[in-house]
Amino acid sequence: MKRFPSNDVIRTEDDQYMIEALKEAWQAFDRDEVPVGSVIVFDRRIVARGYNQVELLQDATAHAELLAIGAASQFFSNWRLEGATLYTTLEPCPMCLGAIFLSRISRLVWGASDMRHGACGSFVNLLSVPHPTHQLDAVGDILSAWCAQPLQRFFQQRRVQNQET
């Protein structure tokens, strides 16, 4: 099973950066974490990366987006990430979307939709209410089939493991 699309599928800058987030997701997969990955881009440069580490850190807040935001804040020595774009392989949950707003990230790009926890329209739509202090440009479904693949494979393996026990 191929983990990444061929070069002819990658057409835009968003596709290119989503591939980088997908690399992070596969790192989570290889570490038996729910495979979600994120990168933060500023001035066409990746300044931070993150992948889910909930199990490793035994921390329900150790989502890819939050770890990337923390790394970007350290990189800039500033919690305000205005002008940055966060790419993430899965539609952010309400907690992560809240952190995206609070960190002043300017743009959000996600891959696969999350019907169980997605806060950008799949489960709830927190983007439908104008934020009083910050405007966020958001776009989803970028390389969504590729971003869904590690999640589908991960949960298929989990179901098999649960049937065997």
Side-chain angles (χ1 to χ4, degrees):
M1 171 186 293
K2 286 179 57 174
R3 289 187 169 195
F4 306 103
S6 58
N7 287 338
D8 62 326
V9 174
I10 301 167
R11 294 185 175 93
T12 68
E13 196 170 275
D14 283 346
D15 292 345
Q16 292 171 352
Y17 290 123
M18 189 58 76
I19 294 295
E20 294 301 316
L22 191 54
K23 289 176 184 177
E24 297 298 311
W26 281 110
Q27 281 194 61
F29 179 91
D30 291 339
R31 289 165 174 78
D32 207 26
E33 295 278 354
V34 174
V36 178
S38 299
V39 297
I40 295 180
V41 175
F42 186 82
D43 283 342
R44 296 183 153 177
R45 188 173 105 191
I46 295 174
V47 297
R49 295 175 175 271
Y51 61 86
N52 273 6
Q53 296 184 43
V54 172
E55 298 300 330
L56 175 69
L57 300 176
Q58 289 297 294
D59 179 355
T61 69
H63 289 196
E65 300 93 332
L66 296 183
L67 296 174
I69 289 169
S73 296
Q74 286 185 337
F75 177 84
F76 288 115
S77 298
N78 192 338
W79 61 269
R80 291 176 186 89
L81 302 177
E82 294 166 325
T85 299
L86 187 145
Y87 291 84
T88 189
T89 58
L90 185 64
E91 177 183 359
C93 71
M95 173 181 68
C96 291
L97 188 59
I100 290 164
F101 275 116
L102 290 171
S103 65
R104 310 292 199 277
I105 286 173
S106 298
R107 187 164 181 259
L108 166 66
V109 180
W110 75 89
S113 297
D114 184 355
M115 302 308 284
R116 293 180 61 221
H117 303 290
C120 301
S122 295
F123 171 63
V124 298
N125 191 354
L126 299 180
L127 297 175
S128 67
V129 179
H131 194 273
T133 61
H134 181 63
Q135 185 171 348
L136 177 65
D137 178 28
V139 61
D141 296 323
I142 303 300
L143 298 180
S144 59
W146 287 96
C147 292
Q149 183 179 326
L151 290 158
Q152 292 166 346
R153 187 169 165 197
F154 178 84
F155 287 111
Q156 284 171 348
Q157 287 180 356
R158 283 287 168 99
R159 283 190 291 278
V160 169
Q161 290 169 354
N162 289 339
Q163 288 174 354
E164 292 174 353
T165 57

